[in-house]
Amino acid sequence: MAASGAVEPGPPAAAAAPSAAPARPSSAGPFFRPFSADDEEQQPTEIESLCMNCYRNGMTRLLLTRIPFFREIIVSSFSCEHCGWNNTEIQSAGRIQDQGVRYTLTVRSQEDMNREVVKTDCATTRIPELDFEIPAFSQKGSLTTVEGLISRAISGLEQDQPTRKVLEDTIAERIDEFIVKLKELKLVASPFTLVIDDPSGNSFVENPHAPQKDDALVVTHYTRTLEQAEMLGIQAEAPEKKVEEEDLKNEVLQFNTNCPECSAPAQTNMKVVQIPHFKEVIIMATNCESCGHRTNEVKSGGAVEPLGTKITLHITDPSDMTRDLLKSETCSVEIPELEFELGMGVLGGKFTTLEGLLKDIRELIIAGKMKAHFIMNDVAGNSYLQNVYAPEDDPEMKVERYKRTFDQNEELGLNDMKTEGYESGLAPQR
């Protein structure tokens, strides 16, 4: 294992004090030296510490080193001369990275088996060809090689085999068969794939051709899932939620009012509705529980249009009665064949069907015994009659845009409105 040379006993590091060396551009300073077996000055720091096996004092050795083309790590090794217990692991000397990392290595030769590997304790190791996986947090972090990873897995499986052969002989036989397969991988008789997936982003697989591209190694950086962030013990950033404005189209608003008939407290419902091929309208309905009075009113959701609108529908079939219709409070209605005319503002605003608007004269129109023209003339341009052929033209309906007369603008109160340059006309009040 590559870590074995990093934890040999030696004198305490003499260059631990930052003032012992001049400042360097590297953020690591003098503490972290490039990992190399040829560097005689790179020695571990020895610290006497408690053995958690026999509770007597053992020795911990720490080596601060830097992996070329990777980052700084801390290699730690503990050994107890009293009970013989020992432990070796590595830790990243930096923070958890912004993204996770996945290394996919195709092992084809012994050179690939000797690649240096940094595997943190939160990394998952997989060999897809054997359907083999070492879960996260099942091993301590290690600085090793590809061969060392496989050897460590073999040792872990062999550890409890004597006990298994006594208690569960069938399972022990299967594990023995699997161990043979792992040992065959070390011979590299055929290529296999090694995958190291580390959500912390601190694992590493050596590229011997660095800084050139390695065709056998694929490095993928990815955004951690919420589960992975929770596993690492960090607060995951919740997915950015778009600041949504209040969606009035899908919500019925309610507010308190008084009944126009009995003045008792009542409730008015209001909803914004998008009429296809037209515009948004506001439907308001009031229901009085005291006297039973009900009203509904429709308001245009937009401003007064630049041009008035005249819609003429030739009613030729009873199905025309089902057309949706929006009549604003500024719209007049005419049926020339009946010499019928409804003045502007008589019924207020309504969103209904043609049949609903003509219910008072349905004996003549709905029966379909006579053909007639239905004319809606809205000087404000805010009325609508459904085009059943939309988006194509309706052969039975004509829509005209016209310029309002002075009298029509007067009725709408537009003649006295000054919408341009009104700031300059404001005289100071004294």
Side-chain angles (χ1 to χ4, degrees):
M1 291 173 64
S4 59
V7 294
E8 289 295 328
S19 59
R24 299 182 183 180
S26 172
S27 60
F31 294 103
F32 294 88
R33 301 170 65 90
F35 182 70
S36 174
D38 299 329
D39 188 354
E40 296 181 357
E41 296 182 7
Q42 188 180 40
Q43 298 294 337
T45 301
E46 296 182 347
I47 304 173
E48 190 175 4
S49 54
L50 180 68
C51 175
M52 301 306 296
N53 186 50
C54 67
Y55 298 102
R56 301 173 72 178
N57 283 341
M59 186 66 66
T60 296
R61 297 175 177 86
L62 298 177
L63 181 68
L64 283 64
T65 187
R66 184 167 63 250
I67 303 295
F69 302 102
F70 185 49
R71 57 177 63 92
E72 298 80 15
I73 63 171
I74 300 174
V75 182
S76 65
S77 174
F78 175 83
S79 61
C80 179
E81 62 180 8
H82 304 287
C83 67
W85 190 75
N86 60 78
N87 179 46
T88 302
E89 62 180 288
I90 69 152
Q91 295 178 347
S92 172
R95 60 181 179 83
I96 293 177
Q97 304 303 307
D98 294 332
Q99 291 184 309
V101 66
R102 182 184 303 109
Y103 290 90
T104 304
L105 173 66
T106 302
V107 181
R108 299 188 177 93
S109 64
Q110 285 296 333
E111 288 75 15
D112 291 330
M113 296 292 288
N114 293 331
R115 289 179 186 240
E116 196 171 80
V117 174
V118 175
K119 176 187 171 296
T120 67
D121 55 355
C122 57
T124 300
T125 303
R126 294 193 298 272
I127 302 177
E129 287 80 358
L130 297 184
D131 195 20
F132 176 67
E133 178 175 314
I134 303 175
F137 298 105
S138 62
Q139 295 180 345
K140 296 287 187 179
S142 61
L143 171 60
T144 180
T145 62
V146 174
E147 182 178 2
L149 278 179
I150 298 175
S151 297
R152 189 177 184 183
I154 293 173
S155 299
L157 292 174
E158 290 178 337
Q159 181 177 358
D160 296 325
Q161 277 297 84
T163 304
R164 290 194 193 97
K165 290 179 180 179
V166 175
L167 301 177
E168 299 175 299
D169 185 57
T170 303
I171 296 177
E173 289 181 1
R174 293 178 182 176
I175 292 177
D176 281 337
E177 293 174 359
F178 194 83
I179 291 174
V180 171
K181 294 180 181 180
L182 287 175
K183 290 181 177 179
E184 290 176 350
L185 289 182
K186 297 171 65 175
L187 302 176
V188 199
S190 61
F192 66 92
T193 305
L194 175 70
V195 180
I196 297 180
D197 192 335
D198 186 356
S200 74
N202 286 325
S203 290
F204 170 76
V205 176
E206 179 190 9
N207 172 7
H209 310 291
Q212 303 299 322
K213 180 180 178 181
D214 187 347
D215 295 331
L217 182 64
V218 177
V219 183
T220 305
H221 296 274
Y222 60 87
T223 301
R224 283 183 288 269
T225 64
L226 294 177
E227 291 77 9
Q228 289 173 327
E230 183 178 355
M231 178 185 70
L232 295 174
I234 61 177
Q235 183 176 1
E237 294 183 3
E240 294 185 3
K241 296 182 179 180
K242 296 182 179 178
V243 180
E244 298 181 358
E245 297 181 358
E246 191 174 9
D247 191 358
L248 299 180
K249 297 180 181 178
N250 299 320
E251 183 178 358
V252 177
L253 301 180
Q254 296 181 337
F255 55 91
N256 297 324
T257 184
N258 292 325
C259 174
E261 290 292 325
C262 67
S263 299
Q267 194 172 67
T268 296
N269 296 331
M270 182 179 73
K271 190 175 190 301
V272 178
V273 177
Q274 174 67 48
I275 299 179
H277 309 291
F278 187 52
K279 61 172 68 173
E280 289 183 347
V281 297
I282 301 173
I283 300 178
M284 303 175 66
T286 302
N287 182 19
C288 179
E289 296 181 356
S290 298
C291 66
H293 178 72
R294 294 183 179 182
T295 62
N296 64 79
E297 187 177 1
V298 178
K299 298 285 187 181
S300 171
V304 175
E305 296 294 326
L307 300 175
T309 302
K310 183 177 181 180
I311 304 174
T312 302
L313 173 66
H314 188 197
I315 303 172
T316 59
D317 189 89
S319 62
D320 290 331
M321 297 296 108
T322 62
R323 293 181 185 237
D324 291 330
L325 177 149
L326 170 65
K327 174 194 171 299
S328 75
E329 60 273 16
T330 57
C331 179
S332 63
V333 177
E334 299 177 49
I335 303 179
E337 290 80 357
L338 299 179
E339 297 183 356
F340 172 78
E341 181 175 354
L342 183 68
M344 181 176 64
V346 174
L347 293 178
K350 283 188 175 295
F351 180 54
T352 178
T353 61
L354 184 57
E355 179 180 358
L357 190 63
L358 297 175
K359 61 182 179 180
D360 292 335
I361 51 175
R362 59 188 175 184
E363 292 80 10
L364 294 175
I365 302 298
I366 296 181
K369 296 181 180 179
M370 65 176 295
K371 295 182 179 181
H373 288 80
F374 179 80
I375 302 174
M376 298 175 64
N377 190 351
D378 187 356
V379 294
N382 285 326
S383 292
Y384 163 81
L385 182 60
Q386 182 185 14
N387 174 2
V388 294
Y389 297 91
E392 305 296 331
D393 292 336
D394 190 332
E396 303 297 340
M397 187 170 69
K398 179 172 66 173
V399 180
E400 303 173 66
R401 310 287 181 183
Y402 61 87
K403 188 175 182 180
R404 285 182 289 269
T405 65
F406 180 87
D407 292 337
Q408 289 171 331
N409 282 331
E410 188 69 22
E411 290 182 4
L412 296 175
L414 298 177
N415 289 332
D416 296 330
M417 287 186 182
K418 186 175 183 180
T419 59
E420 296 180 359
Y422 61 89
E423 298 92 341
S424 60
L426 295 176
Q429 300 295 327
R430 304 208 175 187

